[in-house]
Amino acid sequence: MTPRSWQFDNTYARLPEAFFSKALPEAARAPQLVLFNQRLAEELGLQLDGDLATLFSGQALPEGAEPIAQAYAGHQFGGFNILGDGRAILLGEHVTPNGARFDIQLKGSGRTPYSRRGDGLAALGPMLREYVISEAMHALGIPTTRSLAVVTTGEQIFRETQRPGAVLTRIAASHIRVGTFQYAAARRDEANLRVLADYTIARHYPELTESNDKYAAFLHLVIARQAALIARWQCVGFIHGVMNTDNMALSGETIDYGPCAFLDTYHPGTVFSSIDTEGRYAYGNQPAMAHWNLTRFAESLLPLLGTVEEEAVAMAVEALNTFPDLYESAWLTGMRRKLGLQTAEADDPELIAALLTWMEATEADFTNSFRTLDDPTDKDAAFEAWHTRWQARRQHEGTSEADSLALMRSVNPAVIPRNHLVEEALAAAESDNDLAPLNALLEVLAQPYAYDSAPSKYHEPAPASACGYKTFCGT
Ligand code: AMP
Ligand code: MG
């Protein structure tokens, strides 16, 4: 594809006006480019001229952009609120030379009509964090929004202390959330709800456009995509941290990276987010929380599922009941691959559970355990027993050792964004203006399955002093 400049379209801004408000990025005194994702720009077929800091701080709008803030609602830690983009502006949709459509959003660009008491701003650290983790997720092959650029605005913002203000440019299949449907449903405006559903189907599930029970089919497919997504998270040890319904995208992409982090020591109860005091979004709870969010989504869709309430509810329940099996089977498929298994056998869930039990009991590093599974040296007798059982299972299926190992290396990352390394890189960038550790980390994370190519510090678990690691929303 021959790169070209922006090609904006603004279909979201053509929806009924309840769904958004016009909004403009705030003035920034001295914008400076911190990161620019050249590889992503190429994937988007983008050739950008002009000053990138001016562009990505929202000081010069791309031709054809019609900036808006999107309206939505959401259950935040279980409580329902009317929200909306309080610190983000959707510039519009860029259409690539291949015809693919992506939302271009500035995050941290100032107040909007939905800012409530917030300042609409973002600090550099959290925007860099979203950049690092979202790009790492993409490299791992997990559906996610992407990060095109981070700029500092030249303004100081106040959090607990003064911090450099920054804007992240986020690329997404769309920013339609479960909370967008909750917003339409809360207004009890069935016509608008239908417009939103038709729009989302056309954009993300076009195969359903002609279907005669398209809203039920839509619900089924949204559930299936989320089940697949969460299974991918669990298999790499990703903890989102704030799985509120406004942070769940209908496209099936991972979205809204706040206090997210990757598991180091395996434990299903792991929570990193300082605000998740009850462990609602703990690692092991993520599938159940996704199911809970999808139940809120199904409730929002009820008016479209049927005119007789009991029938609509029955359809919603039927769809929701598919989630546990869809999730379980996607997870099992993923875990079998992590063990280098190409076939399915009845005892596999037990074999996997036994490994996880051993990992939990010995506080093993999740990523490195899978990476070194075929090497029982330095491990205890319980692991050796498991290893013998696993070897028998592998021999039984008859896959060659080389094929099995190749499969394992294609799904078990050698490197993940380790919390202590992410923190170190963000601190160097934010406090010392030193981008070298961040750029080095980004290079390594771009090839997570490249075995033994990264320096050993990228493989090593956090030093014991980093235990009790916490992430902060940093909003
Ligand atoms: P988040 O935790 O980033 O998913 O945000 C939850 C809600 O709070 C969204 O509606 C955001 O737009 C809003 N929000 C977060 N931070 C700010 C801020 N600094 N100013 C205004 N609104 C914000
Ligand atoms: Mg959010």
Side-chain angles (χ1 to χ4, degrees):
M1 94 182 144
T2 320
R4 59 183 187 190
S5 188
W6 298 108
Q7 201 70 41
F8 265 85
D9 194 8
N10 300 278
T11 58
Y12 203 90
R14 305 277 104 79
L15 288 177
E17 59 186 18
F19 287 113
F20 62 90
S21 297
K22 290 190 173 161
L24 284 171
E26 242 166 47
R29 198 175 332 175
Q32 274 196 324
L33 189 66
V34 179
L35 289 175
F36 173 60
N37 194 337
Q38 180 62 41
R39 269 181 286 229
L40 176 56
E42 280 161 23
E43 287 173 44
L44 294 170
L46 266 179
Q47 170 106 61
L48 298 172
D49 344 288
D51 180 47
L52 296 182
T54 308
L55 173 68
F56 292 122
S57 58
Q59 306 306 295
L61 293 177
E63 195 186 319
E66 289 179 32
I68 57 169
Q70 291 175 310
Y72 51 85
H75 275 90
Q76 301 180 295
F77 291 91
F80 184 75
N81 292 304
I82 298 289
L83 302 165
D85 288 332
R87 56 158 173 172
I89 284 179
L90 179 68
L91 294 180
E93 302 131 33
H94 167 66
V95 181
T96 73
N98 294 343
R101 177 181 301 270
F102 294 96
D103 273 10
I104 311 294
Q105 194 203 58
L106 302 181
K107 187 168 174 180
S109 57
R111 290 181 56 83
T112 75
Y114 309 112
S115 295
R116 297 173 291 164
R117 291 209 186 94
D119 57 8
L121 304 174
L124 179 59
M127 295 304 98
L128 292 176
R129 186 182 180 80
E130 170 151 353
Y131 187 111
V132 173
I133 309 286
S134 65
E135 288 305 303
M137 290 287 273
H138 171 74
L140 286 164
I142 299 175
T144 177
T145 63
R146 304 283 308 273
S147 298
L148 184 60
V150 174
V151 295
T152 45
T153 57
E155 314 285 342
Q156 291 290 310
I157 73 167
F158 194 77
R159 290 300 178 253
E160 265 119 32
T161 58
Q162 300 259 348
R163 304 202 37 198
V167 177
L168 170 82
T169 300
R170 177 156 79 179
I171 310 297
S174 85
H175 286 83
I176 306 166
R177 304 149 190 272
V178 166
T180 318
F181 280 81
Q182 290 183 288
Y183 170 81
R187 295 168 61 90
R188 304 195 176 279
D189 185 337
E190 198 182 312
N192 271 357
L193 180 66
R194 193 176 300 271
V195 169
L196 178 66
D198 288 343
Y199 177 82
T200 309
I201 289 169
R203 202 157 161 187
H204 298 303
Y205 303 87
E207 66 275 26
L208 300 181
T209 314
E210 302 300 325
S211 158
N212 36 18
D213 60 349
K214 68 174 166 181
Y215 301 117
F218 174 43
L219 175 59
H220 275 273
L221 289 190
V222 170
I223 290 170
R225 262 190 216 180
Q226 287 299 330
L229 178 67
I230 309 299
R232 298 296 308 271
W233 291 2
Q234 299 304 97
C235 284
V236 296
F238 172 74
I239 306 174
H240 183 285
V242 218
M243 288 177 68
N244 293 336
T245 55
D246 51 304
N247 294 337
M248 184 180 260
L250 274 273
S251 62
E253 289 181 342
T254 311
I255 195 170
D256 269 4
Y257 292 86
C260 56
F262 281 71
L263 265 186
D264 32 45
T265 302
Y266 175 75
H267 193 292
T270 306
V271 175
F272 291 119
S273 166
S274 63
I275 54 171
D276 191 3
T277 48
E278 314 257 297
R280 179 181 172 91
Y281 300 131
Y283 173 72
N285 268 357
Q286 295 191 124
M289 284 297 115
H291 196 193
W292 192 90
N293 290 351
L294 290 164
T295 307
R296 306 287 83 76
F297 175 59
E299 285 165 1
S300 304
L301 272 191
L302 282 178
L304 305 184
L305 293 178
T307 42
V308 179
E309 198 183 336
E310 291 76 46
E311 285 175 21
V313 170
M315 284 165 98
V317 169
E318 189 203 313
L320 288 164
N321 284 346
T322 65
F323 180 88
D325 282 351
L326 286 173
Y327 167 74
E328 202 59 30
S329 112
W331 181 79
L332 252 182
T333 301
M335 292 304 284
R336 282 196 179 100
R337 292 162 61 87
K338 286 176 83 70
L339 297 189
L341 305 175
Q342 294 187 337
T343 62
E345 289 187 20
D347 290 344
D348 293 346
E350 223 282 299
L351 180 70
I352 297 163
L355 175 63
L356 294 176
T357 302
W358 174 84
M359 284 170 58
E360 185 177 337
T362 57
E363 302 184 357
D365 183 83
F366 184 75
T367 300
N368 289 351
S369 293
F370 284 102
R371 184 168 168 260
T372 57
L373 217 50
D374 51 348
D375 177 14
T377 45
D378 299 336
K379 295 192 182 110
D380 62 11
F383 182 83
E384 266 178 47
W386 182 87
H387 188 267
T388 307
R389 198 175 145 195
W390 174 52
Q391 289 312 312
R393 166 66 182 83
R394 281 167 100 191
Q395 274 150 22
H396 188 241
E397 94 170 28
T399 306
S400 78
E401 205 160 318
D403 285 354
S404 177
L405 189 64
L407 174 60
M408 291 173 68
R409 292 188 161 206
S410 71
V411 295
N412 292 320
V415 285
I416 51 156
R418 295 213 173 253
N419 303 323
H420 63 292
L421 297 178
V422 173
E423 288 312 319
E424 197 180 283
L426 299 192
E430 196 173 305
S431 313
D432 306 333
N433 264 321
D434 177 8
L435 292 175
L438 184 62
N439 282 316
L441 181 62
L442 286 168
E443 275 312 307
V444 169
L445 293 175
Q447 294 201 51
Y449 301 111
Y451 273 70
D452 306 319
S453 66
S456 66
K457 77 165 193 175
Y458 293 102
H459 301 291
E460 280 157 18
S465 60
C467 279
Y469 176 72
K470 284 280 167 233
T471 53
F472 297 89
C473 242
T475 47

